[in-house]
Amino acid sequence: MRISILADIPWPTGAAGSVRVRRWAEELSRADCEVTVIPVGNFGSSDAEDVDQEFHTATAARFTSKFGVFGRGGWSSLTRITEALRLAKPDWILCYGRRVSTMVACVARRPRGARIAVDVTEHPSITLWERGHGSAAGWDHWLGARHLIRQADAVFAITPNLAAACQPWTRAPITVVPGMVKGVQAVVSATTRTSPTFGYFGSWHTKDAPKFIIGMAARMLMNDPRAIFETVGFIPQEVLAALTDAGLDSPRTIHHGAVSNERLAGVLSSWTLALMPRSDAKSARFAFPNRAADLLGYGVPVAVRESVGIASLGAESGVILVPSDDAERAADMVSSILSDQSRLAEFRLAARRGAEMNLCATQAIGQAISIMRQARSETIE
């Protein structure tokens, strides 16, 4: 089966979408699908040609303007993308992204007979919620999402509640493909640390609720004089100032900054647990960050607010649910687990088991392949 992934992302790195698309491509390729990744969005100097991979990429076939087909050189860019699709001869086109100006324009020029699958990782109405009804970008996303999901022969959603939200938009089968891990491997154990270590992995975006994380971390350090707080990822200056104001600039706070892929597993797997409460934004109710999947795969329980998308996994998968309205009360709850070795061991074991059962990329994409093959066979018949 030949599958082309049209993705409105930077490539090969630079965004959560890039990670998601790569995991799709790797697993589809390992399942003997012929995969071509066509990253169609324009993201300037962050883009690069990819090497040493199991699948083909067509990075030259992309829009040269961030406005897609409506920008300068848009139609010539669309012609290059159309040619890349023609050469790939896809049975399926898997869409990651939803703008009219990019994805819909490309799908409209697809080769005859190619079926459409859509990977949905955000609620179709997110941009209208956050940008307002007067935003051209908001309508670009909303109309594109509505069109693609209605046109789709298969829909894949990253959380169960997002799958339910997509239900009124399509008659196609909807399958949950959550945040994915490549595999649960034996890595550094947190039990080798002399002090309980908890951390945050991310870039302190608004959706991650920086103020809530800072409040939890400061309270947890106060609750346990042995505890250490670590962060991985770029820290904006205003967040760094807030960390300092909260007393999180002591020897008990370690900022690793950007960590290479080679070192990342070792750092994250040494944590006792991780903080990822997320914000009260409507979009967070449907999201499942790749980072949470990676942490659970390393056997690291993740503390999240009760209202967010990953909360659906529950304690049986290593997710610690905390109150949404009070950072200090949330911190006290997590501190009680941090100091209870028996409960902590149960959560760590649940995280690894939950990742094996629910977040295995091979298993999730294997199910998606079965759906696509069945739909294709029904068409042939």
Side-chain angles (χ1 to χ4, degrees):
M1 188 162 59
R2 294 184 296 272
I3 300 175
S4 291
I5 304 178
L6 278 175
D8 197 352
I9 55 170
W11 187 265
T13 59
S18 303
V19 175
R20 174 88 169 173
V21 168
R22 178 175 294 281
R23 290 181 182 170
W24 268 106
E26 288 172 345
E27 292 302 327
L28 289 170
S29 181
R30 288 172 192 155
D32 295 326
C33 296
E34 293 181 30
V35 180
T36 300
V37 176
I38 309 176
V40 301
N42 175 267
F43 293 90
S45 59
S46 63
D47 292 317
E49 188 71 42
D50 211 1
V51 295
D52 278 339
Q53 53 194 16
E54 305 166 47
F55 46 88
H56 176 64
T57 56
T59 53
R62 64 184 317 134
F63 289 104
T64 54
S65 164
K66 66 180 180 179
F67 300 108
V69 74
F70 301 123
R72 185 175 181 180
W75 288 104
S76 58
S77 297
L78 181 59
T79 299
R80 289 196 302 273
I81 296 166
T82 302
E83 178 63 10
L85 283 171
R86 187 189 69 80
L87 292 173
K89 301 177 182 178
D91 300 302
W92 283 85
I93 296 174
L94 175 62
C95 299
Y96 184 93
R98 58 205 175 145
R99 291 191 290 162
V100 170
S101 57
T102 54
M103 302 302 295
V104 172
C106 295
V107 166
R109 298 281 291 271
R110 67 187 181 276
R112 186 175 180 180
R115 299 176 75 94
I116 301 299
V118 181
D119 186 29
V120 187
T121 58
E122 292 181 323
H123 193 284
S125 299
I126 175 179
T127 45
L128 286 184
W129 289 341
E130 297 187 349
R131 294 175 182 264
H133 285 70
S135 166
W139 284 105
D140 190 14
H141 282 259
W142 187 83
L143 290 172
R146 185 180 181 87
H147 177 81
L148 288 172
I149 294 175
R150 285 190 180 279
Q151 292 291 312
D153 300 290
V155 175
F156 306 111
I158 202 167
T159 56
N161 50 356
L162 185 54
C166 291
Q167 199 80 52
W169 295 53
T170 182
R171 294 182 179 178
I174 302 175
T175 305
V176 177
V177 178
M180 296 177 280
V181 293
K182 290 184 180 180
V184 182
Q185 301 178 353
V187 284
V188 178
S189 172
T191 57
T192 63
R193 302 288 291 260
T194 57
S195 302
T197 303
F198 63 97
Y200 165 74
F201 172 30
S203 299
W204 300 93
H205 294 308
T206 303
K207 287 182 183 179
D208 268 3
K211 185 176 179 181
F212 203 92
I213 293 169
I214 292 169
M216 284 190 69
R219 178 80 169 194
M220 289 174 67
L221 291 182
M222 183 182 72
N223 288 343
D224 188 343
R226 302 172 305 130
I228 294 173
F229 175 53
E230 295 187 356
T231 69
V232 170
F234 171 74
I235 305 177
Q237 193 59 44
E238 63 273 16
V239 174
L240 197 57
L243 287 164
T244 301
D245 291 343
L248 296 173
D249 58 346
S250 71
R252 296 171 62 203
T253 300
I254 300 171
H255 301 307
H256 291 281
V259 174
S260 66
N261 289 333
E262 292 75 20
R263 288 187 54 232
L264 187 61
V267 174
L268 298 182
S269 62
S270 70
W271 291 356
T272 310
L273 55 82
L275 307 182
M276 197 173 292
R278 306 287 277 163
S279 74
D280 282 333
K282 291 181 180 178
S283 54
R285 302 174 192 172
F286 302 94
F288 194 129
N290 293 315
R291 296 165 291 147
D294 289 337
L295 286 159
L296 293 170
Y298 298 142
V300 180
V302 179
V304 305
R305 282 175 165 177
E306 298 165 326
S307 60
V308 303
I310 28 177
S312 61
L313 287 177
E316 61 272 20
S317 294
V319 175
I320 302 170
L321 301 182
V322 301
S324 299
D325 57 346
D326 190 328
E328 290 192 351
R329 192 158 62 94
D332 291 344
M333 178 182 295
V334 177
S335 289
S336 69
I337 295 172
L338 198 63
S339 61
D340 186 332
Q341 292 302 310
S342 177
R343 289 183 68 198
L344 190 59
E346 289 177 3
F347 269 106
R348 290 183 64 82
L349 182 60
R352 293 182 68 82
R353 286 179 174 171
E356 288 174 342
M357 293 177 59
N358 304 315
L359 307 179
C360 173
T362 302
Q363 177 180 312
I365 293 180
Q367 184 181 4
I369 291 171
S370 295
I371 289 168
M372 289 190 281
R373 283 184 172 148
Q374 180 179 351
R376 184 169 172 242
S377 64
E378 288 173 355
T379 300
I380 294 173
E381 291 174 3

